[in-house]
Amino acid sequence: MGQSMPKPGLRPFLPSDVSTLAEILQASVEELTGEDYSESQQEAWAAVAEEEEFAELLAKSLTLVALVEGSPVGFITLENNEQIALFYVHPAVAGQGVGTMLYGAVEKLAAARGATRLVADASDNARPFFEKHGFQAQRRNTVTLGDEWLGNTTMEKRLTPPEDRTFAS
């Protein structure tokens, strides 16, 4: 059996994370999506991390970063308290619970802030993850990136509001 990964931690996004998170996105797309997308589609998708809008999206969203031994290994963004816009885990830690930890934290934060649902435009390779976490497919989409067309699926999960709690003062 292989050595187990140290327990990951979470922290908010810092502006200094942009280049590392771009590398995580690119590595994830290049190494984890080959069964569902062509090489040219992967290249167009990975190029998103090189655009100025990437840093702006990270900064304006609720962005959580997963860390292992102090180094970022994944991230998730939440826009408008219900849209998971970016969600990537480095291939070296894929399947080891990092994505589940990131998603769980975002779901708890969204519910605590009063969200009634979460929505994600899931890539074909991410769809099983979202289904496993209670999301249901709503519609199929075609997205244009550069000269390429990529398919994804809008998925939604209804959230149950946190129990009302009365605090004595």
Side-chain angles (χ1 to χ4, degrees):
M1 256 195 190
Q3 194 175 16
S4 65
M5 179 181 77
K7 183 176 168 106
L10 278 178
R11 69 161 166 75
F13 163 77
L14 301 171
S16 60
D17 292 329
V18 172
S19 63
T20 302
L21 300 188
E23 290 170 10
I24 291 170
L25 183 154
Q26 291 168 332
S28 178
V29 169
E30 290 167 8
E31 296 181 40
L32 302 176
T33 67
E35 290 183 21
D36 298 303
Y37 299 94
S38 71
E39 191 173 322
S40 58
Q41 287 174 316
Q42 289 175 304
E43 288 171 7
W45 185 356
V48 167
E50 298 168 6
E51 296 174 6
E52 198 173 299
E53 293 84 11
F54 178 71
E56 291 172 12
L57 178 61
L58 292 171
K60 77 175 184 178
S61 302
L62 167 66
T63 302
L64 297 178
V65 178
L67 305 166
V68 171
E69 296 181 335
S71 297
V73 295
F75 66 99
I76 190 168
T77 65
L78 184 67
E79 291 182 342
N80 302 319
N81 208 38
E82 70 174 30
Q83 177 74 39
I84 296 172
L86 299 172
F87 185 12
Y88 295 92
V89 172
H90 194 281
V93 298
Q96 298 182 50
V98 173
T100 296
M101 179 192 67
L102 283 165
Y103 169 73
V106 158
E107 181 179 310
K108 285 178 187 165
L109 286 168
R113 293 173 169 192
T116 58
R117 70 183 189 143
L118 286 173
V119 178
D121 289 334
S123 64
D124 294 346
N125 59 298
R127 185 174 171 168
F129 175 91
F130 284 101
E131 288 171 339
K132 178 181 168 187
H133 289 88
F135 283 73
Q136 295 182 346
Q138 301 299 307
R139 70 181 169 276
R140 189 76 178 145
N141 308 302
T142 304
V143 179
T144 305
L145 291 175
D147 294 333
E148 294 294 324
W149 295 79
L150 285 79
N152 69 27
T153 303
T154 298
M155 303 190 75
E156 179 180 45
K157 178 178 182 177
R158 291 280 168 194
L159 301 178
T160 30
E163 293 179 35
D164 289 333
R165 295 185 179 100
T166 307
F167 294 98
S169 44

